[in-house]
Amino acid sequence: MKYSIWYICICMMCACLAEPSDGEQWWLGKGTEQTIAVDSASGRLVHWVVRGEDILSAACGFSLMDATNGETDIPSLIRITRKPDQSIEVESWSRRLELNVTAIYSLQESGAILIDCNVTDLAKRDRAITVSFMADLRPSSWGYGNTWMGNRLQVERLGPGLGPNQIDPFSGHKQSQIPLGSLDDGRVNIAFANSMRKTRFFSYFAEGLDDGAARLVMKVDLGLVGETANFPHQADFQFALLCNDGDTGVRGAFQSYYRTFPDCFAYRSPQGGWALWVGGDEALTAALECGMAYDQWEFDLGKSMESVTKIQKAGLKAMAYSEPWGVWHPIRPEWLKENWKTAAPKPVCANSFYCPIDTEAFKRELANDLEDGTPSDRFPCVTRDFVAKVLLNTAITGNHDEWIFHAYSRDGHSFPWTPNADRKAWASGIIMVNSSPYLPHPNRYDLQLAQLEYSANILMTNGMPKLDGVYLDSLVFYLAWDYYNFNREHWKNATVPLTFAVVDGKAVPAMHNALANAEFLAEFRRYCDRHGYFNVVNTWFPVTQYNIGFIDTLGAGEHSGSGLQKAADFRTFRFLAKDKPISTCDYRLLEPNVTVEEIDARCNLALMYAIMPGTSNGWDRKTSVDKIRQVMPKYATLQRTLMAAGWEVLTHATVDNGGLIERWGHSAQDGLYFTVRNEGDKEARLTVTLPADKYPNAVFSGAEELLDGTPVAFEAQKDGWLLSLDIPAKRTQVLRLQQH
């Protein structure tokens, strides 16, 4: 029923926005590739001119919906103001919904139109609000990037009622997997987009209308409450209008995105793979040969500190471990079984499960640790009293006021990091917390800094070098990135606006960890920059876009199955990361029964997107290390070559027979490489076409394949060049263009 209401909302919006206006038109961006005009009588966008073409078929603007009852409205103009920087501020309000909306349109150096918005609740009560912005586009052959194929995101032509697939990972909030939604018609490419450093629950979708017209929609879900000291009864958000050439598809939208939000893609960590617990001299030498760049240990335990010197001397970077989305804490097994809030704990993954636990009962359990000055069970840098207070200040609560315990081992055995003999047999697991640095102290952010500074002090005292970076583990659903937080005390300190949840069929304001954790990531990124650390994360979809803007190196999940990962997943990681280093943690690479052929196949798939496979749990096993040394060094060399050339989102190339292609190298003069993959089940001859108009002044004379030495047939034609080669099934090969 909820989505039926939403569809009605859009239809009403169309009717309202199509009304003619007779006000003065206020222009922004005249003379640039993208120009808009705001009507002074209505405050609506009446012209959106992209590369000389006005693409709107009707005026467009904001629509509001009260998610608690489905009531909708189009806000009416209060005032419009031209600011000194030439931006246009439009203030409007909805009498029916008692909401005020302010939008500031500004032109960016990248050519994007940035729209900064604020929604204020005039009724001053708890509100769950959906804000939408819609553009109805003139008739044309509009399409959107639905599947990521070949040299571009394949455009499917829109028919009536057809829209791109979306996911619903956050219990009622449909999301786009990428931070933009785009349409193109072969002449112009347009997009709505949001910065991955300004996280909100955005959703983008498109619909085909009659006679080839189309509609592009942005919506964002917001929770408005009075307790939020930084934005009482209000919320802000920001999105942008982007444009590019019409033949570039969603790749063109991403190119515009990179230009508009460059801060999301800054990094200062080395290219290479992530490794765990590489210790001996021979293993360190092998790790470097195999492309590893990082070696991670639990240095915050005060152990293995001498490894830092060895790791750095071997040419790798030493990283400290942390998992700041929860607090490890031992729980008596008998207490846990007595205080589960549900009869059947929710399984998460192998050997772990969520246990909603009785909050007041656990607070009484924590009272045993208050005022206890002995070192805590997981964190020797702080006391049990400190950890107990962190939990009291930061534990998230469900909608029934329960805390969430992520338990390891249903039988409650062997808490892995407990140094205290009297608690060795206690249950192992993590209490889920809000990691914001702005909660009352001590909080989880304070604990994060204590962990790092404890390691740093030991190293400094013993005359050893400082750590290079910090590893942030488990930016994934199974560590509460999918959880709402109903602890209203936490809402008071929020710097990221709330969203809403649906509880017992009703939309209510709520904090969500995927959004709130951005407060930690933003502040910790600043801390790392000040202290010379880089940071590496372990993440997976769909929360990647909520953290990648703040990190240096993307850890693309942990894998242990014998099957290959999906090429589409690796492709999405590359688009979201741009040039940032990407590494997997592939346990299979060092397992005793893995074959050399399996290792090669896994490395070969990752090479398609210059992702460096990382691995762990076996560097002390010589037979396993010897296997990867037969395969991984050549892939490491090619991965570094490709990343040094630089990934280009626009390939300016096509490949036939369903092949995949990516381009590396910014110009023909600087050197061009292409990774080409046969995703089919049989060997196939693939032909790459390079159009001459995309490579002016290039004089290509041939091409060579760098991985297997596969012969490449080269043909120069009047309008471009053809490169053909036979590629086995499920295999990537690397082409380098040669010039006269």
Side-chain angles (χ1 to χ4, degrees), residues 17-84:
L17 295 187
E19 295 174 359
S21 64
D22 55 5
E24 179 187 358
Q25 294 175 359
W26 290 27
W27 289 88
L28 180 67
K30 267 196 169 182
T32 65
E33 66 176 6
Q34 181 173 219
T35 303
I36 63 170
V38 180
D39 177 59
S40 63
S42 66
R44 300 167 188 161
L45 222 62
V46 289
H47 296 288
W48 184 3
V49 181
V50 178
R51 310 220 164 162
E53 292 193 43
D54 196 339
I55 61 174
L56 292 182
S57 63
C60 64
F62 290 95
S63 172
L64 304 170
M65 181 177 75
D66 187 328
T68 59
N69 56 26
E71 189 175 5
T72 65
D73 196 19
I74 306 295
S76 301
L77 180 67
I78 298 175
R79 67 178 60 87
I80 182 170
T81 307
R82 175 79 74 173
K83 301 173 78 66

Side-chain angles (χ1 to χ4, degrees), residues 13 92 153 300 366 447 486 587 611 677:
M13 185 174 171
S92 56
L153 306 188
D300 66 301
L366 275 182
L447 177 54
F486 293 89
Y587 296 103
I611 293 172
R677 183 170 179 83

Side-chain angles (χ1 to χ4, degrees), residues 311-338:
I311 291 167
Q312 294 177 342
K313 193 172 182 180
L316 279 74
K317 303 297 184 182
M319 293 194 304
Y321 178 87
S322 63
E323 200 167 31
W325 329 117
V327 174
W328 283 89
H329 198 280
I331 296 181
R332 292 182 293 110
E334 62 274 18
W335 183 93
L336 184 61
K337 292 176 182 177
E338 293 168 2

Side-chain angles (χ1 to χ4, degrees), residues 66 326 397 409 414 534 603 679:
D66 187 328
T397 59
S409 169
S414 64
F534 58 76
C603 293
E679 271 287 87

Side-chain angles (χ1 to χ4, degrees), residues 494-516:
T495 61
V496 175
L498 307 184
T499 184
F500 59 80
V502 178
V503 178
D504 299 328
K506 182 179 179 181
V508 296
M511 179 177 278
H512 196 284
N513 268 17
L515 303 178

